[in-house]
Amino acid sequence: MPQTLFDKIWQRHVVTVTATGTTLLAIDRIFLHERTGAAALKSMAQAGRPVCDPARVFAVMDHIVDTRPGRDDTTLMPGGQAFITETRAAALAAGITLFDVNDPDQGITHVISPELGIVLPGCTLVAPDSHTCTQGALGALAWGIGASEAEHAMTTGTLRLARPATMRVRFTGILPVYVTAKDMALALIARHGAGGGAGHVVEFAGEAVEALDIEGRMTLCNMATEFSAMAAIIAPDEKTFAWLAGRRHAPAHFDAPFWRSQHSDDSAAFDREIEIDAATLAPMVSWGTSPQHSMAIDALIPQGPERAHAYIGLDAGQPLLGTPIDVAFIGSCTNARLTDLRRAAALLQGRHIAPGLSKALVVPGSEATRRAAEAEGLDRIFIDAGFEWRRSGCSLCFYAGGESFPPGSRTISTTNRNFEGRQGPGIRTHIASPETVVASALAGHIADPRALLAKEFPA
Amino acid sequence: MTPFTTLTGIAAPLLMDNIDTDAIIPSREMKSTGRTGLAEGLFAPWRYSEGRNPNPDFVLNQPAFTDARILAGGANFGCGSSREHAVWALAEYGIRAVIAPSFAPIFANNCLRNGLLPVALPLGQVQALAGQVVTIDLEAQCVRHGADILPFTVDAEARTMLLEGLDVIDLTLKDRAAIAVWTDADRAARPWVYLAKAAS
Ligand code: SF4
């Protein structure tokens, strides 16, 4: 019977199925971070339960670490240091691999796991972090769980699961210039709702997905949790295999027959199918307090829930373009990889951000990304343009990670969540691509990156 | 885990869609690495006004609902961050069940692992139950309100675990032998998955 990629990975990992239909599924990799990892490890230690196979468990300090140069265990979040010291002690006691605050491999979980070849095609990977779905871009079944489930996975090497449904989202056509993977994700969620993927594993496919580089695929899969999907997955291809070659934990000789079999069969059936024409997409920006409140940048703000309009301070019917911003942020597991930084820097080169901004910040997704960007001179371009250049971490992506600003401040941000209070009490977040963040930082208000193109290359 | 059988009480209405876990427990209210001390931060941005005084407009600050053990929420309840602290905070405050049209998957799972019941019902029924005294009967898988009996379903295994208050890890450890058999076979088939022991 023809199988989807999800079916293939699932079937291979079934240990047993109970009489009531619950599957005991084997878990190949587990990743922890300091915000939720210490709780899981401590609770296991208290229960006297060891990690069943420490070689498959990794931990990193990414969420609340300081991102300013010369950092140590102290954090901008009051009381945050305990998360770092307790995670360190628990990781050491459990015998798992830890990427500590100043480890050269430190970075955001979903950036370093692919970078180090920890996530691999055809594998299962879980982490107590909702954006674990990012890693499905490499052809793995990767999803976010809670801390109790992380304990279960570390203790038993398995999870108990009900089989999810499958959905294929096909992006046909070719993306226009300055329209990116981020815009694909926001367009999907805007059209089909923040709950649109509930209960499903989503396979992204189609010409526009195949055309994305691996980092763009990670951006697209990253937002699957904002669609309420359990996981996102993209069939690995030669680009994937080339990208993984030589990475530290990737096999020296990859299992070609197996890896090349990891795709949906031609006539495989999905429980749901969605199609979106990538060629018709525009840069997308969120206007409200859910990623589903996203719109083409040059459209008029639609009518949404009163509460969202009140929080964000924008009415229906007005344009989003031209809305003044206070803070610009390029970072997070969505959009802080080398290609993101390159594209942002290419637009910034020789320009300077608007004088009215109170902060503009670039936080690379990993220390390896930071070093690679510095080797190319990207840091200079950002700094000369008026951005601050930092060490890696989650930073402004969420309230506990970085600086905060007075209530009512408006940020344009390459992150994934524009929830009320996500970046601090009263902060108004607009999520967008790195290109749109750069265009807006240059203008001092929400601005269309395509206008920059028009200026450079007049028709 | 505390067993869940039946629960009768008033359902506090909180009917917005997409209530996220940052709203349920903001990141800075997660002040320790443990599972306790979180109830005070529950719904902090809505529950408190300036100077951390109770905001009288927030439902759990209204006398009728202060002791509510049931919430009636909107669609996609518990979306966003996977932080189990959202469920720990609800449970510590005293909430034992949430009735909503739909739940974010990680949140629903976190509920089931902590003795808190997510009850999915159609939107019209959730609206009708909001603010009412209802009885949730997990054994019979229904919500009773006056003469109405509204059926819901919960994953069969999760239901048993809740009814009996079982520890799910203990249950899985009974399958140790099957896990070892699977692992040995897989190690032979996919040796590249298995990494050398972590440096200690
Ligand atoms: S960058 Fe943001 S979304 Fe990604 S793991 Fe960190 S806090 Fe979560």
Side-chain angles (χ1 to χ4, degrees):
Chain A
M1 201 176 119
Q3 288 184 304
T4 66
L5 171 53
F6 163 77
D7 294 330
K8 291 179 186 178
I9 301 179
W10 180 272
Q11 193 182 61
R12 167 163 289 274
H13 288 84
V14 173
V15 174
T16 175
V17 181
T18 69
T20 53
T22 299
T23 297
L24 195 60
L25 199 78
I27 303 299
D28 297 322
R29 301 277 187 269
I30 300 153
F31 225 117
L32 307 174
H33 59 64
E34 84 281 21
R35 202 63 178 138
T36 51
L41 288 171
K42 266 168 60 178
S43 157
M44 282 171 70
Q46 274 159 15
R49 288 170 173 154
V51 174
C52 77
D53 177 14
R56 71 175 87 164
V57 186
F58 298 82
V60 65
M61 313 290 191
D62 60 359
H63 269 64
I64 55 177
V65 291
D66 197 343
T67 58
R68 293 171 300 187
R71 65 184 174 190
D72 53 21
D73 289 353
T74 50
T75 65
L76 285 172
M77 183 193 124
Q81 186 165 352
F83 287 80
I84 292 175
T85 54
E86 290 180 30
T87 300
R88 181 179 296 135
L92 210 69
I96 65 174
T97 303
L98 170 70
F99 305 106
D100 212 330
V101 177
N102 283 315
D103 190 299
D105 293 321
Q106 184 272 348
I108 304 171
T109 304
H110 318 302
V111 178
I112 66 170
S113 173
E115 260 178 13
L116 295 169
I118 291 168
V119 62
L120 294 170
C123 289
T124 51
L125 180 148
V126 296
D129 188 282
S130 56
H131 290 99
T132 308
C133 55
T134 311
Q135 304 186 42
L138 279 300
L141 184 63
W143 71 101
I145 54 174
S148 296
E149 291 286 78
E151 280 182 52
H152 188 287
M154 285 193 278
T155 307
T156 69
T158 66
L159 282 177
R160 307 181 80 85
L161 294 159
R163 190 189 172 96
T166 56
M167 180 191 298
R168 176 162 53 192
V169 178
R170 249 183 214 287
F171 285 93
T172 59
I174 299 286
L175 283 173
V177 180
Y178 293 168
V179 183
T180 67
K182 179 65 156 288
D183 305 302
M184 292 162 74
L186 289 175
L188 170 70
I189 299 163
R191 286 181 201 186
H192 295 277
H200 290 76
V201 167
V202 175
E203 179 172 341
F204 289 114
E207 204 179 352
V209 174
E210 286 161 25
L212 291 175
D213 58 33
I214 300 303
E215 301 191 347
R217 293 179 189 180
M218 290 191 230
T219 300
L220 178 60
C221 291
N222 176 270
M223 301 285 293
T225 188
E226 274 27 275
F227 191 47
S228 221
M230 168 184 163
I233 192 163
I234 294 177
D237 57 12
E238 298 306 317
K239 261 191 233 183
T240 319
F241 309 147
W243 194 89
L244 280 168
R247 298 197 181 260
R248 180 163 336 143
H249 294 287
H253 300 286
F254 75 82
D255 185 346
F258 175 76
W259 281 15
R260 292 209 169 95
S261 71
Q262 298 299 292
H263 58 79
S264 291
D265 297 328
D266 281 346
S267 47
F270 291 80
D271 297 305
R272 266 186 78 192
E273 299 243 24
I274 287 178
E275 199 167 287
I276 292 178
D277 181 358
T280 62
L281 297 181
M284 301 286 293
V285 187
S286 71
W287 66 263
T289 56
S290 157
Q292 86 180 30
H293 302 151
S294 292
M295 54 184 266
I297 191 166
D298 50 1
L300 298 178
I301 296 171
Q303 182 62 53
E306 276 315 320
R307 191 186 173 91
H309 287 288
Y311 183 86
I312 211 79
L314 295 170
D315 292 329
Q318 72 179 89
L320 198 53
L321 280 174
T323 306
I325 54 161
D326 304 299
V327 176
F329 178 56
I330 299 175
S332 88
C333 58
T334 318
N335 275 129
R337 297 182 178 82
L338 188 58
T339 53
D340 296 308
L341 303 184
R342 279 186 188 145
R343 298 194 324 270
L347 282 180
L348 270 178
Q349 187 148 33
R351 296 178 157 119
H352 201 277
I353 59 167
L357 255 58
S358 63
K359 194 174 272 296
L361 193 59
V362 189
V363 181
S366 68
E367 283 293 280
T369 301
R370 177 180 66 80
R371 290 190 300 272
E374 288 175 358
E376 293 180 14
L378 304 186
D379 57 326
R380 282 282 20 128
I381 297 175
F382 283 112
I383 293 164
D384 291 345
F387 273 84
E388 269 181 66
W389 179 255
R390 293 283 183 89
R391 297 291 179 276
S392 180
C394 295
S395 183
L396 291 194
C397 180
F398 81 128
Y399 179 38
E403 290 88 342
S404 50
F405 303 94
S409 299
R410 196 176 291 284
T411 73
I412 185 133
S413 178
T414 64
T415 53
N416 44 45
R417 289 188 172 138
N418 54 336
F419 300 157
E420 279 185 32
R422 170 75 179 179
Q423 292 184 308
I427 306 286
R428 297 159 163 168
T429 305
H430 296 274
I431 49 179
S433 70
E435 283 84 344
T436 301
V437 169
V438 164
S440 306
L442 291 170
H445 51 75
I446 295 179
D448 192 331
R450 293 171 303 183
L452 287 179
L453 176 75
K455 240 187 255 166
E456 267 177 303
F457 308 105
Chain B
M1 189 167 75
T2 329
F4 188 110
T5 49
T6 64
L7 174 65
T8 298
I10 195 157
L14 204 60
L15 291 171
M16 287 107 68
D17 287 348
N18 303 315
I19 292 179
D20 58 76
T21 52
D22 276 81
I24 299 173
I25 184 95
S27 51
R28 290 210 183 183
E29 299 288 342
M30 294 159 54
K31 289 175 181 151
S32 85
T33 57
R35 298 168 172 236
T36 51
L38 296 160
E40 204 202 306
L42 180 73
F43 292 118
W46 300 340
R47 195 165 139 207
Y48 305 114
S49 46
E50 293 292 306
R52 219 168 166 93
N53 293 311
N55 165 14
D57 295 334
F58 184 65
V59 60
L60 294 180
N61 290 333
Q62 294 162 7
F65 299 111
T66 308
D67 297 323
R69 304 179 71 200
I70 303 171
L71 289 182
N76 200 28
F77 193 96
C79 64
S81 163
S82 66
R83 59 185 73 157
E84 198 161 315
H85 306 72
V87 172
W88 298 333
L90 286 165
E92 194 177 88
Y93 183 89
I95 303 292
R96 291 299 312 278
V98 181
I99 305 174
S102 58
F103 293 89
I106 303 174
F107 178 82
N109 216 26
N110 286 342
C111 284
L112 295 170
R113 293 287 181 253
N114 288 279
L116 209 142
L117 182 65
V119 178
L121 288 176
L123 176 64
Q125 294 181 3
V126 178
Q127 286 167 335
L129 296 177
Q132 305 294 310
V133 173
V134 303
T135 295
I136 300 172
D137 184 339
L138 178 59
E139 178 84 58
Q141 293 191 83
C142 70
V143 178
R144 284 190 285 272
H145 170 240
D148 293 336
I149 297 178
L150 311 170
F152 65 87
T153 54
V154 174
D155 172 73
E157 180 177 280
R159 176 166 162 267
T160 310
M161 316 261 349
L162 280 172
L163 286 171
E164 297 176 16
L166 297 177
D167 183 291
V168 67
I169 295 178
D170 285 342
L171 187 70
T172 298
L173 287 175
K174 289 185 186 157
D175 277 321
R176 258 202 188 106
I179 297 169
V181 167
W182 184 91
T183 309
D184 288 345
D186 189 62
R187 199 185 284 271
R190 299 187 307 158
W192 48 270
V193 171
Y194 294 84
L195 300 169
K197 176 113 183 59
S200 53

